[in-house]
Amino acid sequence: MRLSTVSYTPIVAALLLAGCVTTPTHDSKVAASLSVAKSGQIDEAIKQVEAQTQGNNKADLLLNLEKGELMRIGKRYKDSLDAFDVADTKVKEWEETAKSSPQKLMGQIGATIMGDASLDYEGQDYEKVMLTTRMAMNRLNLGDLDTARVDIKRTHEREAVIAEFRAKETAEAEKEAKDKGVSTSGKELNGYPVETLNDPEVLKLKNGYQNALSHYMAGFVYEALNEPGLAAPGYRKAIELRPDLPVLEDGLKGLDQRTSFRRKKGVTDVLFIIEAGNSPARQSKKIAFPVPTGRGLVTVSFAFPVIYPDTNAPVIDSVRVGNQVLPTALVTDFNVMARKALKDELPGIQTRAAIRTVTKAVAQDQVNKKFGALAGLAANVAVAATESPADDRMWRSLPERVFVARAFIAPGEYEVNFSNRPGDSMKLTVDGRYMVVPVRMYQDKTYLGDQAKFGSVTPVAQLQAEPEAKPAETAKGKSKTAAKAKPAAKAATATATTSTSSTSSAKSN
């Protein structure tokens, strides 16, 4: 590549100025909060992150995501929604810009010169989707099924905006790379663990923003609202995103029976959502590049983000409820999604880094030419030192993995165990027509959230069929039998009325 002879003194000055400012990484900001949450001190974790969302950080997108998630784990659902609302306002602004002026979001000058961390954080695409999903889940815990439906609908709309914008952005990045003669093949990144982005789990994902949990939750919410026509597409999409999982397939196959007169009586449809660990961290890795100039090779280094998973996140194979053992399914893995998101970002990151590399190389070459080799060496060292770390911003308090289990369970008190560790059982009260049980698990601590219960259990009495009439029975006899049955029917109706009341405006069949 031919290097321009334009003076780069202002750019070198900007780079040196950027190198003088050391800002803490996001990972370092939230590390303490995540650590104490894992140890069981969720209130202390919330206090620490609340202290960070003061002053200029009050409306910070990422810190409010962290605060909202920790508050959710701590069962402070209204406070969690308040924090998520702040973050959601930021994402809505991004959506409006993506729809009306997408070019504004594609500007690369700042990131080209100063590094990607210099840009305002807009959230990973899967984080944007999980934000509305989390808001819907908080509504469920507060008994607000109708508003949860609104958030579910917004999730679908947000996915559509993301899909359209990313298609435009990819085309723009390819054009920019072509215009500047920059190759963006990941294979050229010597020293970068490209294999972590190309493993089978990453390659199986359709994209970096849709997840099966969000769509399965959509199916469940629509079903609880007695809207099977809308529930079916949610379950179907979840299966498409995570195929060959019996738990997800049963959600769709059993939908007609669960929403018709054939539904089992005297039982609660219980959905366990078991979340493990914390989402992976992004950390910076520097890679040195030799760049040819008119006076020989100049070595320039720049930073790339690398994904590091939570190695202590538990794997949940089953849930024991009383004497029942329910199989679980891994429906969403945010470690894999984070790597997919990075894989999709990598061409743009490479393009900006390559342009930055050439800019630095030209500046060094000019110093060599004007002031001699010794000054050139000093400039080489200085510019290498000023390369800012890779952007490490991610929603760290999200879980690493999400498992679900679902079954019809008779109402009552149960010992439930999620960890398969003896003595690690909890009390669970099953009730309602539909019930959601949120669980967050760490290696040494399990948080059982408030159960969301909707509708009333249909009494078993309504399941008992009338005795078949005997062949010799007369029409008059049948009439008497029917008359005797009326008090029983009235009693069953009374039982249904006094059964567990709905905690929301859920519709029942």
Side-chain angles (χ1 to χ4, degrees), residues 116-333:
D116 288 350
S118 65
L119 294 173
D120 289 337
Y121 188 69
E122 64 183 32
Q124 296 293 329
D125 288 344
Y126 68 87
E127 294 172 352
K128 299 183 183 85
V129 171
M130 273 306 295
L131 173 55
T132 42
T133 301
R134 272 296 192 245
M135 295 175 79
M137 294 173 75
N138 276 345
R139 312 276 190 204
L140 294 182
N141 288 110
L142 292 170
D144 188 356
L145 196 57
D146 292 322
T147 311
R149 184 189 190 280
V150 174
D151 289 324
I152 289 295
K153 184 174 182 292
R154 290 203 304 125
T155 299
H156 301 328
E157 293 168 349
R158 183 161 289 176
E159 288 180 344
V161 173
I162 292 169
E164 184 176 356
F165 173 74
R166 292 306 172 198
K168 293 177 182 177
E169 184 185 49
T170 299
E172 183 69 19
E174 290 172 352
K175 179 179 180 299
E176 183 181 9
K178 183 178 179 181
D179 290 346
K180 296 184 181 298
V182 174
S183 172
T184 58
S185 170
K187 293 179 181 178
E188 297 177 1
L189 292 177
N190 296 324
Y192 186 87
V194 177
E195 67 280 358
T196 64
L197 307 182
N198 290 329
D199 73 24
E201 287 299 311
V202 174
L203 297 177
K204 279 197 302 186
L205 291 184
K206 292 189 62 178
N207 52 59
Y209 55 91
Q210 290 180 309
N211 70 83
L213 172 66
S214 295
H215 287 274
Y216 191 85
M217 285 301 303
F220 188 89
V221 168
Y222 285 129
E223 180 181 336
L225 285 166
N226 195 26
E227 299 182 82
L230 294 176
Y235 291 135
R236 195 174 294 117
K237 187 65 176 181
I239 294 169
E240 180 186 328
L241 294 169
R242 290 287 292 173
D244 304 320
L245 293 180
V247 172
L248 299 187
E249 292 172 351
D250 290 345
L252 182 61
K253 286 191 296 187
L255 178 60
D256 288 342
Q257 180 175 348
R258 294 193 306 270
T259 55
S260 71
F261 68 93
R262 295 176 295 159
R263 189 183 193 277
K264 291 183 179 180
K265 308 297 189 295
V267 291
T268 300
D269 188 352
V270 184
L271 173 64
F272 294 93
I273 302 176
I274 309 155
E275 302 174 339
N278 285 323
S279 65
R282 274 193 180 197
Q283 294 181 10
S284 185
K285 181 179 178 64
K286 281 197 173 182
I287 300 174
F289 273 76
V291 179
T293 71
R295 301 174 64 85
L297 290 177
V298 175
T299 300
V300 179
S301 66
F302 59 88
F304 270 117
V306 179
I307 300 292
Y308 291 91
D310 181 356
T311 56
N312 294 320
V315 175
I316 315 301
D317 297 318
S318 61
V319 177
R320 179 177 290 277
V321 184
N323 295 324
Q324 279 185 277
V325 177
L326 310 179
T328 64
L330 173 59
V331 295
T332 299
D333 189 329

Side-chain angles (χ1 to χ4, degrees), residues 49-95:
V49 77
E50 278 187 310
Q52 294 178 330
T53 51
Q54 303 296 322
N56 294 336
N57 290 329
K58 190 173 183 179
D60 185 88
L61 167 62
L62 193 49
L63 288 175
N64 275 285
L65 289 175
E66 305 289 13
K67 182 166 71 171
E69 183 67 12
L70 290 173
M71 286 176 164
R72 173 172 170 75
I73 296 171
K75 300 194 286 190
R76 291 170 52 178
Y77 302 111
K78 289 183 179 179
D79 292 337
S80 175
L81 274 174
D82 289 341
F84 285 152
D85 276 333
V86 175
D88 194 49
T89 298
K90 293 288 189 180
V91 177
K92 285 177 181 175
E93 291 172 1
W94 178 89
E95 286 180 300

Side-chain angles (χ1 to χ4, degrees), residues 237-482:
K237 187 65 176 181
I239 294 169
E240 180 186 328
L241 294 169
R242 290 287 292 173
D244 304 320
L245 293 180
V247 172
L248 299 187
E249 292 172 351
D250 290 345
L252 182 61
K253 286 191 296 187
L255 178 60
D256 288 342
Q257 180 175 348
R258 294 193 306 270
T259 55
S260 71
F261 68 93
R262 295 176 295 159
R263 189 183 193 277
K264 291 183 179 180
K265 308 297 189 295
V267 291
T268 300
D269 188 352
V270 184
L271 173 64
F272 294 93
I273 302 176
I274 309 155
E275 302 174 339
N278 285 323
S279 65
R282 274 193 180 197
Q283 294 181 10
S284 185
K285 181 179 178 64
K286 281 197 173 182
I287 300 174
F289 273 76
V291 179
T293 71
R295 301 174 64 85
L297 290 177
V298 175
T299 300
V300 179
S301 66
F302 59 88
F304 270 117
V306 179
I307 300 292
Y308 291 91
D310 181 356
T311 56
N312 294 320
V315 175
I316 315 301
D317 297 318
S318 61
V319 177
R320 179 177 290 277
V321 184
N323 295 324
Q324 279 185 277
V325 177
L326 310 179
T328 64
L330 173 59
V331 295
T332 299
D333 189 329
F334 286 108
N335 170 39
V336 178
M337 292 205 71
R339 285 184 283 148
K340 172 62 176 173
L342 180 54
K343 180 179 175 65
D344 292 343
E345 283 181 66
L346 202 57
I349 294 174
Q350 280 184 262
T351 300
R352 295 188 293 275
I355 295 170
R356 193 157 66 249
T357 299
V358 172
T359 301
K360 290 182 177 183
V362 169
Q364 291 175 39
D365 185 53
Q366 288 188 351
V367 172
N368 277 337
K369 188 183 299 184
K370 190 170 183 178
F371 299 106
L374 186 60
L377 176 61
N380 193 344
V381 172
V383 174
T386 59
E387 172 66 18
S388 59
D391 189 2
D392 79 323
R393 292 173 292 181
M394 287 177 66
W395 187 357
R396 289 295 322 283
S397 55
L398 273 179
E400 174 94 349
R401 307 183 189 94
V402 183
F403 304 83
V404 299
R406 188 173 179 180
F408 281 118
I409 301 174
E413 297 282 341
Y414 293 89
E415 291 279 342
V416 60
N417 189 300
F418 303 98
S419 65
N420 292 325
R421 293 191 293 261
D424 198 15
S425 296
M426 299 179 172
K427 292 286 186 182
L428 180 68
T429 301
V430 173
D431 201 1
R433 183 180 178 87
Y434 291 95
M435 180 172 169
V436 182
V437 182
V439 183
R440 185 58 169 270
M441 293 189 62
Y442 295 106
Q443 189 174 30
D444 300 312
K445 175 64 181 179
T446 299
Y447 293 97
L448 180 61
D450 289 341
Q451 292 85 62
K453 303 174 185 180
F454 306 99
S456 301
V457 178
T458 305
V460 178
Q462 292 187 7
L463 182 65
Q464 297 172 349
E466 295 179 7
E468 294 183 8
K470 296 180 181 178
E473 190 174 13
T474 63
K476 183 177 180 181
K478 289 181 182 179
S479 177
K480 290 180 179 179
T481 303

